[in-house]
């Protein structure tokens, strides 16, 4: 038994090292390779009425390419808007001042991200500036609920000429009487 015990201990130790290495890789993947160091970014802010499932560290994209991440999400205590702080890579420091920001979702149930659409203004956004052209997140569940419970269509043609639908001042003129029907 003395020969088998070191082999089993070695196998268990190797398995534990493999499990710890897997957890380290998972931790690195969940932080998108960022360890809290953000010296190569500059911050912009944007206000949204609703942000949906947007979370800190969500990507910021232009044309599908990630150019930064969401640094912080706060609520303005005066206007009660959601203020999103964007950490944009310094390589993209020439974003026009009329850049628009929107909150979108990757696929039907994918992650939320901030999509930027650069404008054509020759003046660039400076660190700390606010993006004024924003589009809030679309709540898919709320849209489906509104469609399902709103009736979903037009009224049938039978009900179109009911007297209740005709205003009172037109009822006398619009509805023929027995006297006008006679030849």
């Amino acid at each position: 038994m003395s020969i088998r015990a070191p082999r089993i201990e070695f196998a268990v130790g190797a398995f534990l090292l493999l499990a710890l290495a897997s957890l380290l890789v998972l931790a690195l993947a969940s932080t998108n390779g960022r360890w809290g160091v953000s010296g190569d970014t500059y911050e912009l802010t944007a206000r949204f009425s609703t942000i949906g499932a947007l979370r800190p560290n969500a990507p910021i994209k232009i044309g599908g390419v990630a150019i930064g991440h969401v640094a912080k999400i706060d609520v303005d205590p005066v206007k009660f808007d959601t203020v999103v702080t964007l950490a944009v890579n310094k390589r993209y420091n020439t974003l026009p001042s009329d850049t628009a920001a929107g909150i979108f979702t990757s696929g039907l149930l994918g992650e939320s991200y901030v999509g930027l659409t650069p404008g054509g203004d020759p003046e660039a956004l400076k660190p700390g500036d606010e993006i004024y052209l924003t589009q809030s997140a679309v709540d898919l569940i709320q849209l489906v609920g509104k469609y399902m419970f709103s009736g979903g269509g037009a009224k049938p043609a039978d009900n179109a000429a009911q007297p209740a639908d005709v205003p009172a001042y037109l009822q006398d003129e619009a509805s023929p009487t027995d006297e006008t029907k006679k030849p």
Side-chain angles (χ1 to χ4, degrees):
M1 254 212 179
S2 64
I3 297 175
R4 287 188 166 201
R7 287 183 186 170
I8 291 174
E9 289 176 6
F10 178 76
V12 169
F15 178 75
L16 286 175
L17 284 175
L18 184 63
L20 286 174
S22 298
L23 286 175
L24 181 64
V25 168
L26 183 63
L28 181 61
S30 68
T31 60
N32 293 330
R34 290 187 299 271
W35 296 100
V37 180
S38 60
D40 59 345
T41 62
Y42 68 99
E43 291 188 348
L44 300 172
T45 59
R47 292 177 178 270
F48 298 96
S49 58
T50 58
I51 61 167
L54 187 70
R55 301 287 177 253
N57 290 326
I60 301 168
K61 298 180 181 181
I62 293 179
V65 178
I67 64 159
H69 67 278
V70 174
K72 185 171 54 171
I73 299 174
D74 290 320
V75 174
D76 182 357
V78 176
K79 295 182 180 179
F80 298 107
D81 288 341
T82 305
V83 179
V84 178
T85 304
L86 311 172
V88 179
N89 192 318
K90 283 190 179 178
R91 289 187 347 197
Y92 307 101
N93 62 353
T94 58
L95 287 172
S97 62
D98 60 347
T99 296
I103 299 175
F104 304 103
T105 305
S106 298
L108 189 60
L109 299 174
E111 71 173 345
S112 292
Y113 67 93
V114 177
L116 297 181
T117 306
D121 195 349
E123 187 175 330
L125 288 167
K126 296 175 211 55
D129 280 354
E130 181 173 337
I131 297 174
Y132 291 104
L133 303 170
T134 60
Q135 176 185 351
S136 294
V138 176
D139 187 2
L140 187 62
I141 303 297
Q142 187 178 12
L143 284 177
V144 170
K146 281 183 181 179
Y147 179 75
M148 287 177 55
F149 299 114
S150 68
K155 292 182 181 179
D158 309 328
N159 297 337
Q162 293 293 332
D165 293 321
V166 179
Y169 67 89
L170 290 177
Q171 283 184 357
D172 291 336
E173 297 174 15
S175 59
T177 60
D178 290 338
E179 294 174 7
T180 57
K181 287 183 185 176
K182 292 182 184 177

